[in-house]
Structure formats: C-alpha cells, structure tokens
Amino acid sequence: MSSPPDRVLSGSAGLECLDAFQSHLHSIYGVDVPYAVSDFVTTDRDLVSALTQGDKYHLKEKLLLHQDGE
C-alpha cells in the first residue's frame, strides 16, 4: 500500500483556503486579528533565497521570523 501523494494548494486557491481557515478560527474563538495570514505567504523562490542566504530549495515549507527589538 502506497502513501497518498502530497496535496498542494497553490496560487489563489491556496490563499483563499488559508483565509477561510483563519476566518473559521476567528469565529470559533471570537477574536479579530487585523492581519490576514495570506499576506504573509510567498511562493517567490527568489525572495526566499534572498531572505535565507540562498537556501530556496531545501524544504517544501519555511517559517521565516524576524525579531524587532527585544
């Protein structure tokens, strides 16, 4: 028995799915966040390369964080 293939949502369908999921979480927990999760998603490999010192193919996904101050 083989494992199922990875399911990838790309482009606007993927972003719409993320926004719908965020909206659902907002309704469950009764919170409102002024940011949309889709505003922080990129599929631009050149941008990822620039932000990670050239490592744009190592992982399928990356979480990039930037600390400002303490």
Side-chain angles (χ1 to χ4, degrees), residues 16-39:
E16 289 172 11
C17 182
L18 287 174
D19 287 337
F21 183 63
Q22 181 178 10
S23 177
H24 185 68
L25 289 174
H26 286 188
S27 67
I28 290 172
Y29 293 105
V31 297
D32 189 26
V33 178
Y35 304 104
V37 67
S38 60
D39 291 340

Side-chain angles (χ1 to χ4, degrees), residues 8-15 18 37-51 56-57 59-62 64:
V8 177
L9 292 175
S10 61
S12 63
L15 296 179
L18 287 174
V37 67
S38 60
D39 291 340
F40 298 92
V41 175
T42 185
T43 57
D44 183 337
R45 289 183 184 249
D46 292 330
L47 175 61
V48 172
S49 179
L51 294 172
K56 61 182 173 181
Y57 297 105
L59 301 172
K60 285 184 181 182
E61 299 175 352
K62 289 188 180 192
L64 304 175

